[in-house]
Amino acid sequence: MARYHLTTFGCQMNEHDSERMAGMLESLGYSATEVQDEADLILFNTCSIRETADSRFVAHLGHARRIKRERSDVIVGVGGCWAQSVKDEVFTQFPFVDVAFGPGQVHRLAEFLASDSLTAQGYFEFEGFTGDLPASRNRPFQAWMQISVGCNCRCSYCIVPSTRGREVSRPFEALVEEARGLAAEGVREVTLLGQNVNSYGRDLRPERREFSELLAAIDAVDGIDRIRYTSPHPKDMREDVVRAHAVLPALCEHIHLPLQSGSTPILRAMRRTYDRERYLDRVQLIRSEIPDCALTTDIIVGFPGETEADFEQTLSLVEEVGFDGAFTFIFSPRRGTEAGEITQGLVPHEVKVARMERLVAAVQRGAQKRAQRFVGRTVEVLVEGTSRTDPDRLRGRSRHNKVVNFSGIAAPGMIVPVEITGATSQTLIGEMSLLALAAFG
Ligand code: 5AD
Ligand code: SF4
């Protein structure tokens, strides 16, 4: 039996796409191997969001080249955003690559493998949703659902619109059907994925749909206990979506709302189409509808033209909001993006690093403070497995998306009550509450 080895870089959409690649390969008779040197097909699902993503991947590719030198019949395949972004050069720069394909072309990999093709092939036009392919999921009780692909925004720093193309929504009924099918297979938690999830459905014809309608329809599916989504855009974060969190029992009390910068002039230069006030207004709306909602974000430091005063605007917003967590990034110029071409007002590397450190400290202070509200409470935890640091303890996630390490006995996939006894900025600790478990029924 032929074996494949797959390495995934990048975001949750790539993890989703990799599960579909795996599902497709398994339906072709391939089986997975953990050992790259034993694989007949060495596959990479790549990311190009920042320069570090590119360089990490190119180092991995070097290893594949060495394997290919020793065993020339090995097939090397490269999919995803990096492949798409270098599509014109991939075979000249990396002549040992046999097949390359963009994110909308995963199904072509099957065609290539079945064709005995002797010449290298590249596939880069969007043709179909990877969400339509069979999946090989890592955990039987959690699933990604791809609700749309692509992005119509023009954020000046971002490579995604050029790698994943224009936004296309998957049909509403097909998604509800998929959720029903997943529930029937034992899935309890779904995470809806899209580059801009809350603009879902506006391109659908003959009938436009709203993201909030989709949330309600999936909430109504029996067996789906938790719904999450990532990432929404603040410009599309309207009342109906926020209210859905208050009224839909399965929709979790957590919103990841990417900020990028707290400075209005920088947001304008980033072409985010909202300003500091609008972002704060969305936070206010969320807090008034769902007072206890966890709020996390993405922030970029060192965008070209960012002054100390601009950066302080970001810091003060972080302090004002009090995020439960944040992913922080140093600006990285990307090929083909508007901000990647800027030559004026570049922020020196050491200034970027110093700002990053100050930002991380502010985020952690806020997250640490916010996390204390859980101490003494009993929260619902979806068990994912054993704790990474202590095999005698269990690990899971609360509805607020906090990692919880706790003592108790439960199987992965169970939702159990845990009394929280301690909290750091990143994780909660606690004990499974037998009293509450009895009340759970
Ligand atoms: N440089 C740094 N961070 C970036 N992001 C996207 N593009 C860049 C870039 N060129 C960050 C944004 C986005 C997250 C997924 O990655 O914060 O929300
Ligand atoms: Fe995901 Fe963006 Fe990386 Fe593509 S470039 S894999 S969309 S993070």
Side-chain angles (χ1 to χ4, degrees), residues 315-378:
L315 274 187
S316 79
L317 191 147
V318 164
E319 266 149 26
E320 186 175 338
V321 170
F323 289 104
D324 293 83
F327 296 114
T328 49
F329 307 103
I330 286 182
F331 169 72
S332 167
R334 304 285 56 211
R335 66 186 91 77
T337 62
E338 189 187 342
E341 309 289 311
I342 300 177
T343 51
Q344 306 280 303
L346 298 185
V347 180
H349 185 69
E350 51 296 355
V351 176
K352 286 180 178 168
V353 171
R355 285 182 187 164
M356 179 75 160
E357 282 170 7
R358 289 160 69 195
L359 178 62
V360 167
V363 165
Q364 275 177 358
R365 265 197 314 274
Q368 167 86 22
K369 210 179 324 158
R370 290 275 297 162
Q372 302 312 311
R373 75 189 190 281
F374 296 114
V375 176
R377 273 165 64 176
T378 296

Side-chain angles (χ1 to χ4, degrees), residues 259-268 270 274-277 279-280 298-301 306 309-318 320 323 359:
L259 165 69
Q260 313 304 358
S261 169
S263 150
T264 293
I266 294 297
L267 286 169
R268 195 174 307 128
M270 288 175 162
Y274 56 85
D275 59 12
R276 176 186 174 90
E277 280 61 45
Y279 188 91
L280 286 171
D298 291 343
I299 301 169
I300 298 175
V301 297
E306 184 187 71
D310 290 316
F311 175 66
E312 280 169 12
Q313 289 274 294
T314 299
L315 274 187
S316 79
L317 191 147
V318 164
E320 186 175 338
F323 289 104
L359 178 62

